[in-house]
Amino acid sequence: MFTQVPSISSLSTNEGPVSGGTRVTLHGENVNIGGEKMVIMKLSNGVELNCSLVTSNNTNEMVFLTPQVPAAIYVTEITLRLDDYTDIKTNPSSAEFYYRADSTVTKLNTYHGIVSGGTTLTVDGSSFNIIQEPRMYLEPVGDMTRTRRATDSTPPKVFACSTPDSNHLKCELPTIPRSWPADSNGTIRCNYGFILDGIQETQDLATKNNNTFNIGKDPSFKVLDGVPLAEILKIEGENFLYIGGQDIVQPIVRVGVAGSGDKSETELDCEVTTIQDKLLYCDMPQLDSTYKKYVVTVYYGSIVREEVGTVVVASDPQLPTLTIVAICVSCGVIFVIVIITIVVLKCRLSRTDQGMKKLQDKMDNLEMTVAKECKEGTCNAPARSVLGYCSLIC
């Protein structure tokens, strides 16, 4: 007989798939004491099912896995049996549990990754919210004509996924062991699946879907050694499609001031516009011409970043000293020629004005003479022939 009375207070989760396998922690007082321990779930149809226990050293926690049921159903009672002591909790609001329809996986946004990992894939499906710890796994199949055998000794790579909503999973690919077998192109072909509690339909998907999840080589980049700044930056290399093709989120290219303590403070995005297996183009941002050299860094996934070289901002072109002197001398000569031309023209205009003035004076004297003769009545023929109006006056 127990000196400390067990009691149930709550469950860590209140739902799971009908395939079972949900890891549930039963919280309370003295729920993990004694020798013989049992957790029994009574369904709404009256059926009682024993749960598999998971070892725990906490006396106030009992961890168990839910059994499989044929269809969605509600648990009406949870029975905790410790030796001869039985505590039945009938449908308490803090310890209720619902069996839901199994989660399903319909497609992945990509079936490619790189050895270094870090790229995030999106999984489409349903009812992911009922899974406590969704996980994905990859395991090499070697020859693409066969799937993994039970005798293969290479352990699978298992990694956690997050659940942004009930219809999607986000899984960040891990670093893949380079010892995994690859084909002649360096591609590691993998069986893949998802560990969603006890659901079997989401596992061994390479066989079920007749495809493999392919891990390619890490991309490599041709070094940019002081490339002149242009509106479009061209980056060459290999294996770009595994970081930017096949529906994978494109890599991020950034340029930052060279030699600065923290480039991230000066980095600007170079927007990727085109990506091929060996070629990448991005539109350069507006850079501060105060700095003459910028470092180009490519980020792909959350793990890998690589500095691929530098671009330089060209300084304003400077003319040679001899050229500058020649230009100055030429300008001086032209200036002198212009001044001389102006002086010559002015002198010629001055002489012309003097001649016109003398002619005008002669005309005035002649007119005065003729007028005088006309007045005195001594007008002669030459005067009349020179001045037509002399006869009128005379």
Side-chain angles (χ1 to χ4, degrees):
M1 186 167 180
F2 293 112
T3 58
Q4 296 175 316
V5 178
S7 63
I8 300 172
S9 60
S10 64
L11 300 179
S12 61
T13 181
N14 62 358
E15 60 182 352
V18 296
S19 289
T22 302
R23 186 185 179 96
V24 180
T25 300
L26 188 152
H27 299 283
E29 293 183 3
N30 305 310
V31 294
N32 191 13
I33 60 177
E36 183 181 353
K37 306 170 186 178
M38 294 181 63
V39 174
I40 302 171
M41 302 181 93
K42 185 177 181 180
L43 308 180
S44 57
N45 60 5
V47 176
E48 293 186 349
L49 300 173
N50 290 333
C51 302
S52 301
L53 301 184
V54 179
T55 302
S56 173
N57 295 323
N58 191 333
T59 59
N60 294 321
E61 290 183 355
M62 176 69 77
V63 182
F64 62 92
L65 301 178
T66 60
Q68 184 178 8
V69 297
I73 199 168
Y74 174 60
V75 176
T76 59
E77 290 181 354
I78 297 176
T79 300
L80 173 62
R81 183 168 297 157
L82 303 174
D83 293 340
D84 295 330
Y85 186 88
T86 299
D87 181 12
I88 300 175
K89 200 74 171 181
T90 304
N91 190 24
S93 59
S94 59
E96 56 188 8
F97 190 88
Y98 294 87
Y99 276 101
R100 310 291 190 187
D102 282 351
S103 307
T104 62
V105 172
T106 54
K107 68 173 182 178
L108 284 62
N109 75 315
T110 180
Y111 295 88
H112 295 79
I114 57 175
V115 171
S116 292
T119 55
T120 300
L121 59 90
T122 301
V123 183
D124 293 349
S126 64
S127 302
F128 292 131
N129 57 307
I130 67 173
I131 306 301
Q132 302 308 303
E133 298 178 353
R135 291 173 293 167
M136 182 179 178
Y137 68 87
L138 296 173
E139 53 186 0
V141 298
D143 188 339
M144 64 179 295
T145 62
R146 68 176 180 89
T147 56
R148 180 179 173 82
R149 297 193 303 263
T151 56
D152 290 341
S153 59
T154 305
K157 198 76 172 179
V158 181
F159 47 99
C161 300
S162 61
T163 310
D165 57 66
S166 62
N167 296 323
H168 297 93
L169 292 177
K170 294 287 187 180
C171 306
E172 183 176 293
L173 297 178
T175 301
I176 301 300
R178 299 182 185 275
S179 59
W180 282 14
D183 62 17
S184 58
N185 295 321
T187 301
I188 302 172
R189 302 185 183 277
C190 300
N191 185 19
Y192 65 98
F194 296 87
I195 301 173
L196 306 177
D197 293 352
I199 302 173
Q200 297 299 312
E201 288 300 315
T202 59
Q203 299 186 30
D204 195 20
L205 294 181
T207 302
K208 294 171 182 175
N209 297 335
N210 194 28
N211 66 354
T212 56
F213 195 97
N214 300 324
I215 302 297
K217 297 178 181 178
D218 286 351
S220 60
F221 301 90
K222 182 179 179 181
V223 176
L224 302 174
D225 187 11
V227 175
L229 177 64
E231 292 184 0
I232 297 177
L233 177 63
K234 175 183 177 182
I235 300 176
E236 297 178 284
E238 294 183 347
N239 306 318
F240 289 171
L241 289 184
Y242 279 91
I243 60 170
Q246 309 292 346
D247 298 324
I248 299 177
V249 176
Q250 289 187 339
I252 299 174
V253 180
R254 292 194 176 112
V255 290
V257 177
S260 62
D262 185 2
K263 285 200 307 300
S264 61
E265 295 182 356
T266 62
E267 280 186 331
L268 298 172
D269 285 349
C270 184
E271 183 180 357
V272 177
T273 56
T274 302
I275 185 164
Q276 302 171 3
D277 186 43
K278 298 183 178 182
L279 195 61
L280 182 154
Y281 289 102
C282 65
D283 291 339
M284 288 290 287
Q286 187 68 36
L287 300 178
D288 186 351
S289 59
T290 304
Y291 305 100
K292 299 305 180 184
K293 181 181 288 187
Y294 285 83
V295 175
V296 180
T297 306
V298 179
Y299 298 81
Y300 45 100
S302 62
I303 299 176
V304 182
R305 52 168 286 175
E306 184 165 343
E307 292 185 1
V308 298
T310 59
V311 294
V312 294
V313 179
S315 302
D316 295 333
Q318 296 183 352
L319 295 175
T321 303
L322 184 61
T323 302
I324 295 175
V325 172
I327 292 175
C328 291
V329 171
S330 299
C331 291
V333 171
I334 293 174
F335 179 76
V336 171
I337 293 174
V338 170
I339 294 299
I340 293 175
T341 302
I342 292 174
V343 171
V344 170
L345 290 175
K346 190 171 182 180
C347 291
R348 288 184 178 180
L349 288 174
S350 178
R351 292 175 183 176
T352 302
D353 290 343
Q354 291 177 359
M356 290 296 294
K357 186 176 181 180
K358 290 181 180 180
L359 179 61
Q360 185 64 41
D361 291 341
K362 290 181 179 180
M363 292 291 293
D364 291 343
N365 291 333
L366 179 60
E367 185 176 352
M368 291 176 62
T369 301
V370 172
K372 182 178 180 181
E373 290 179 355
C374 289
K375 185 176 180 180
E376 295 175 353
T378 59
C379 186
N380 53 36
R384 285 194 298 269
S385 64
V386 175
L387 297 173
Y389 61 87
C390 184
S391 58
L392 296 177
I393 299 175
C394 297

